[in-house]
Amino acid sequence: MSIAQHPPAPTGVPGQPVAPGSGMRVFLHLLVNTAVANLTTNFLWFALVFWVFIETRSILATGVLGGAYMLIIALSSMYFGSLVDRFRKLRVMRLSAWISLVAFLIACTMFFALGERVLLDLAAPWFWVFAVVVLVGCVVELLRNLALSTTVTLLVPTERHANANGLVGTVQGLAFIATSVFSGLSVGLLGMGPTMLISAVCTAVPLVHLHLIRVSEPEIVHDPERKAIDFRGGFLAVLAVPGLLALIIFTTFNNLTGGVFMALLDPYGLTLFPVEMWGIWFGVASAGFVVGGAVVAKWGLGKNPIRTMLVLVACTGVLGGLFTLREWGWLFVAGIWLFMAVMPAIEAAEQTVIQRVVPFEKQGRVFGFAMTFEAATAPITSFLIAPIAEFWIVPYMETSDGRATWGWLLGDGDARGIALIFLFAGLVSILLAVGASLTRSYRLLSRSYVESPEAPPHLESAETGEAADPQAPDPAAPSAAPGASDGKQHGRDHSQVTRGSSPEKST
């Protein structure tokens, strides 16, 4: 039985569809489906990083893997965003799922055909070919996530956008918990071979469910001048909103510290705990993501999500600088828990702003444009910090001079070099948040968000729950927005909305 929905009715806000009565139910199906898919791809990604570090003990190798992951995201985000705008969302989501499945099947074939000894030779090409195939299968999941962000606009009432984005954070946190726990246990107890097979099987399950979902969305108008990678269109859409470019620049620089944590978090944790226990403890710490997402889902982000984001970025800087001051397992786990708890609100804030101030038909390119720059900084940091940590800072902190200089602050232990890097990364985050709050762009974007009108809620029949007549006026609305009186927006006649029987959608 397929999961269908009513087509969206016209809206009084130019460029924004009104959520249909059954939209939230369909969105939850897509959310859970994407959560399972994300769990599977993250499961294999975590397992790959754990496996490589345990077998090679190389910070450089894990840093390169993390950097490559973010580099591929940066290179593909704009193309993915353009795909989301050019095609129906469900079709793009299914394409993403198929690519992941094929990539994981290829990786399984390579693993069992070549063997672990050949693949773990970092000086030979086979390891890097294998890693790239796995990375492609994991990174293409971003295509789903971009499409899912646009379906919040399509399926969820405007006043509930922050709550829906909070739900996204909650399920991502659940996936994080299960991923870290199961990846550590799987690699430690079963080995990488069975882990590869589990990933391939679990990728196919949500793909079947995805083919049962039906989503109606406004007719897609193809721009004859639009290119496959519409970087210019995304850039112009960003410039059209005062201050939005500054927000993207801020998150881009904030991701510099994200690259530090990406490169060094697992090496630090695996220094403190065995792989099985590190997976479990990271899962416990990731529960903070669930709590943070649930808080956003329940109470939203306040009247000004941008201000909320800056405050919480400063908090992550404080936490990142403090949770490794001593080589205590409980301090590290508690710090990660709190760090994770504030991350859903930071991510939801940017999404909520874009979903409100950018027209629906351009949101895919804007999300892709933002992801291109935000993801590009993390691999730069990761590629730089991994060799610096392995060949300079970690050895320095093992010397008597390093201990004498920093021991009063960081204590003793095997990972004091990584702790020193975390400390300075946290300070950078604090300074970045404080500086951004003092800029004119912050005030402009806050004003743009506040002044952007909310779409009126979708009308439903009180008796049947069916979608109300799209042509019927909303008695609660004071007046139709300019350009909406004839049922058209930006040249699109929403009376010709197609039924969602064709397979099309993305995340």
Side-chain angles (χ1 to χ4, degrees):
M1 179 181 295
S2 65
I3 302 159
Q5 70 164 78
H6 300 295
T11 175
V13 178
Q16 305 290 8
V18 171
S22 58
M24 192 64 183
R25 177 175 61 86
V26 177
F27 170 74
L28 291 177
H29 275 281
L30 294 172
L31 180 65
V32 172
N33 183 280
T34 303
V36 174
N38 284 343
L39 188 153
T40 303
T41 55
N42 288 333
F43 169 78
L44 186 55
W45 166 248
F46 273 63
L48 177 64
V49 174
F50 291 168
W51 177 63
V52 170
F53 186 79
I54 292 168
E55 298 295 335
T56 67
R57 309 304 295 185
S58 174
I59 296 176
L60 180 61
T62 56
V64 170
L65 284 176
Y69 179 83
M70 296 304 296
L71 182 61
I72 296 175
I73 289 179
L75 294 175
S76 59
S77 293
M78 196 66 245
Y79 178 64
F80 287 170
S82 299
L83 284 178
V84 169
D85 283 344
R86 293 177 65 199
F87 299 99
R88 296 186 184 279
K89 307 304 179 282
L90 191 57
R91 179 174 297 172
V92 179
M93 295 180 86
R94 290 170 179 169
L95 173 65
S96 170
W98 276 109
I99 293 175
S100 292
L101 179 60
V102 171
F104 292 165
L105 291 175
I106 294 174
C108 283
T109 302
M110 291 183 63
F111 184 90
F112 291 105
L114 297 174
E116 291 192 52
R117 179 174 299 179
V118 174
L119 290 179
L120 284 171
D121 184 359
L122 302 183
W126 285 116
F127 168 77
W128 302 105
V129 173
F130 172 75
V132 167
V133 172
V134 174
L135 285 174
V136 168
C138 295
V139 168
V140 77
E141 187 64 21
L142 171 67
L143 187 56
R144 275 184 187 239
N145 295 325
L146 287 173
L148 184 63
S149 294
T150 66
T151 61
V152 172
T153 309
L154 180 67
L155 301 172
V156 181
T158 305
E159 67 276 6
R160 298 286 296 173
H161 282 181
N163 307 85
N165 290 324
L167 287 175
V168 173
T170 300
V171 299
Q172 286 176 343
L174 290 171
F176 239 64
I177 294 172
T179 293
S180 60
V181 173
F182 293 146
S183 294
L185 293 175
S186 183
V187 172
L189 301 178
L190 301 178
M192 193 62 182
T195 300
M196 297 288 301
L197 293 175
I198 292 171
S199 300
V201 172
C202 291
T203 302
V205 173
L207 179 59
V208 173
H209 174 245
L210 200 59
H211 278 277
L212 299 177
I213 300 176
R214 298 292 182 268
V215 175
S216 296
E217 65 179 282
E219 179 182 1
I220 299 177
V221 179
H222 294 282
D223 184 351
E225 298 182 358
R226 181 183 298 172
K227 300 178 181 179
I229 303 179
D230 192 8
F231 186 87
R232 180 176 180 271
F235 180 62
L236 292 177
V238 170
L239 289 182
V241 181
L244 184 56
L245 180 61
L247 173 64
I248 294 174
I249 293 174
F250 168 78
T251 53
T252 297
F253 279 101
N254 188 50
N255 276 8
L256 287 171
T257 56
V260 173
F261 287 102
M262 176 173 47
L264 302 179
L265 194 64
D266 284 321
Y268 189 90
L270 291 170
T271 301
L272 298 183
F273 306 102
V275 61
E276 298 91 346
M277 290 305 301
W278 169 234
I280 292 174
W281 281 119
F282 192 78
V284 171
S286 298
F289 212 107
V290 178
V291 174
V295 169
V296 177
K298 176 68 175 179
W299 288 288
L301 296 165
K303 295 181 179 180
N304 188 345
I306 310 164
R307 180 176 58 231
T308 302
M309 180 180 70
L310 294 181
V311 171
L312 294 180
V313 166
C315 291
T316 63
V318 173
L319 293 169
L322 295 180
F323 66 12
T324 57
L325 285 183
R326 290 294 183 274
E327 203 161 284
W328 299 334
W330 68 266
L331 177 65
F332 187 51
V333 172
I336 296 176
W337 192 96
L338 293 172
F339 192 96
M340 293 287 187
V342 301
M343 287 305 297
I346 294 174
E347 296 176 1
E350 182 182 15
Q351 294 173 356
T352 301
V353 171
I354 292 176
Q355 288 158 356
R356 179 155 171 175
V357 302
V358 177
F360 173 72
E361 66 271 13
K362 299 180 181 180
Q363 287 182 8
R365 280 165 288 174
V366 171
F367 279 119
F369 178 88
M371 183 63 69
T372 296
F373 289 93
E374 293 166 13
T377 55
I380 295 173
T381 311
S382 187
F383 286 143
L384 289 175
I385 205 64
I388 290 174
E390 182 161 340
F391 299 121
W392 180 39
I393 297 180
V394 171
Y396 165 73
M397 288 298 292
E398 293 175 350
T399 65
S400 57
D401 185 45
R403 293 192 185 99
T405 304
W406 296 100
W408 65 273
L409 178 62
L410 300 175
D412 298 321
D414 297 330
R416 296 303 81 205
I418 297 177
L420 181 63
I421 297 172
F422 283 161
L423 175 62
F424 280 96
L427 292 175
V428 170
S429 291
I430 296 171
L431 293 175
L432 187 62
V434 172
S437 67
L438 302 176
T439 63
R440 179 173 178 267
S441 296
Y442 162 71
R443 295 189 294 272
L444 285 175
L445 185 57
S446 297
R447 187 179 303 118
S448 297
Y449 179 84
V450 171
E451 293 177 354
S452 294
E454 293 187 4
H458 181 71
L459 293 177
E460 294 184 4
S461 167
E463 296 180 359
T464 66
E466 296 288 328
D469 183 0
Q471 304 302 324
D474 182 358
S479 62
S485 58
D486 58 355
K488 298 181 180 181
Q489 303 169 30
H490 295 281
R492 297 190 305 171
D493 185 351
H494 283 261
S495 65
Q496 300 177 5
V497 173
T498 56
R499 303 290 294 184
S501 57
S502 59
E504 302 162 355
K505 166 154 198 165
S506 77
T507 310

